[in-house]
Amino acid sequence: MKKALIIVFLVSMLSVILAGCGGTDSNNGASQNQSEPASTEAVQENTGSKEKFKLNLAIWDEKLKDTVNQVIEIYKQDHPEADVQVTITPVKDYWTKTQSSLVGGEGPDLFMMNGPNFNKFASLGLLSDLQPLIEKNGVDTSVYPQGINELYKLDGHAYGIPFYLGSIGLFYNKELFDQAGVPYPDESWTWDTLKEKAALLTDKAANKYGYIAVNADQIGYYPLIHQAGGSVISADKKTSGLNSEGTIKAIQFMKDLMDQGISPSAQQQLETEALQIFGSGNAAMYPGGSFDAFNLNKLLGDKLGVTVLPSGEQSGFYVHGSSWVINKQSKHQQEAWKLLNLLTGKAGQELLGKNAINFPAYTDYVDLWAQSIPSLDMKAFVVSLPDAVAYPVSQNTSEWQKVMAASITEALTGTVPVEEALSKAAQQMNEILSRDK
């Protein structure tokens, strides 16, 4: 019953997420040439051949490599003639590199996509329309939460199939809590509790921090902005919420923790990644994603615990998820489509869940993922989803996110007062939003 309720909830809750945010190989004998996008008819009529062919696949996350390769091995059982190459590019370079290669008529045949970049890539005509294939092959997309399906649609057509979701929780180091004699965090914690307990867990002489106020959007200031009653963007996607009272309060909360030495400073986080600080045992608490559980378990083992995020004026966070898409100019549309179906279908989602990499988008495998690390009770990532809200996106998300990140860093480092920095960011963001179609 509990599992059924969770699945029903995931489908209904995530429907609030609004639609739209974001290789070729010359050896194949397909009728499409490299400079001419494959038509829907060509995609549907191409049944593939037994001639050798190469598929280029791109991801941004090293943690996914083993899972992706396992799916590729399943794919090659039916397609031994396939040579599938996986390219991993760090996320900071992934989008620029991928867009440049696609615009140039090359790039990967199949690649991972996120919400902030989907609308731009789709609007530029770089992605294959998957809707005809979904309908022709009877693919049941209802197995994914409705909102994630909608996130990867343009004009009612799907250009991506969901892969995983990113739920957020509060990781903590049990050993540091035990040494300080502080009870483990739980669902009753608020911002005030967090600040009080984090101070007790801080040892400045030993460079041990009670908490990391992460200078990043999805796991750092986004949850705090929501919990403080602020916003990133208005519901109609036309105006910025960065200068709202709640948003200012959230960023000021982070800065206060840094100024008091309870959290590593923004400058320290520029020099050493927050995940590394926590994973090396130098911080007691870290707000992280379901996508961090795999790595942190490797680093901390039985010392690792996780619970729901402390609440401010309200609880919750912004929820997001990734998908797989196909390069519109790939000469291997049908081959890429078959591999995409394995990655997003039962085979790939079961492996994703078993390998503890991330929260599967396929709702039947959520419980499998939650049980994938026996030493870590990961139910916090599931039970907190009722309080999650739509991830903030628009057509030019990546552009205004850069403005936002730069201004928040200025505020956290003290270069510019918090309110002034956010006011400037809001003004620049509004200018960007005015160019959205």
Side-chain angles (χ1 to χ4, degrees), residues 66-72 74 345-357 365 368:
D66 289 343
T67 299
V68 169
N69 282 332
Q70 287 174 312
V71 177
I72 289 171
I74 296 173
K346 292 182 178 181
Q349 294 290 282
E350 182 176 7
L351 284 168
L352 186 68
K354 284 182 176 179
N355 292 343
I357 302 301
Y365 296 97
L368 182 64

Side-chain angles (χ1 to χ4, degrees), residues 76 257 265 348:
K76 291 176 72 173
L257 293 174
S265 68

Side-chain angles (χ1 to χ4, degrees), residues 282-401:
N282 291 317
M285 291 178 282
Y286 170 80
S290 49
F291 40 82
D292 291 319
F294 178 81
N295 274 352
L296 289 177
N297 181 64
K298 278 191 168 184
L299 292 169
L300 295 172
D302 291 343
K303 299 177 185 177
L304 184 66
V306 65
T307 187
V308 298
L309 292 172
S311 60
E313 292 185 10
Q314 58 187 359
S315 56
F317 53 87
Y318 296 114
V319 69
H320 180 244
S322 72
S323 73
W324 285 98
V325 297
I326 295 175
N327 176 359
K328 187 174 182 179
Q329 299 202 68
S330 169
K331 290 185 176 181
H332 308 290
Q333 297 284 320
Q334 188 67 19
E335 293 87 348
W337 165 251
K338 290 178 180 178
L339 180 52
L340 181 152
N341 270 270
L342 279 175
L343 287 161
T344 60
K346 292 182 178 181
Q349 294 290 282
E350 182 176 7
L351 284 168
L352 186 68
K354 284 182 176 179
N355 292 343
I357 302 301
N358 213 335
F359 205 123
Y362 200 123
T363 52
D364 283 355
Y365 296 97
V366 170
D367 281 355
L368 182 64
W369 173 84
Q371 299 165 13
S372 60
I373 303 178
S375 64
L376 184 63
D377 184 356
M378 296 198 289
K379 68 176 181 294
F381 291 116
V382 179
V383 301
S384 61
L385 280 170
D387 295 322
V389 295
Y391 191 84
V393 292
S394 74
Q395 182 175 334
N396 292 303
T397 308
S398 58
E399 187 176 351
W400 56 254
Q401 277 185 334

Side-chain angles (χ1 to χ4, degrees), residues 63 168-173 176-177 185 189 194 198 201 209-216 218-220 262-264 269 272-280 282-293 295-296 299-300 304-310 381:
K63 298 192 300 295
I168 312 297
L170 180 68
F171 289 102
Y172 57 94
N173 187 316
L176 296 182
F177 272 80
W189 275 34
L194 173 67
L201 291 156
Y209 300 94
Y211 174 79
I212 304 180
V214 182
N215 183 21
Q218 188 175 4
I219 64 171
I262 293 173
S263 165
Q269 293 183 49
T272 306
E273 187 181 0
L275 183 71
Q276 183 179 340
I277 296 173
F278 179 73
S280 62
N282 291 317
M285 291 178 282
Y286 170 80
S290 49
F291 40 82
D292 291 319
N295 274 352
L296 289 177
L299 292 169
L300 295 172
L304 184 66
V306 65
T307 187
V308 298
L309 292 172
F381 291 116

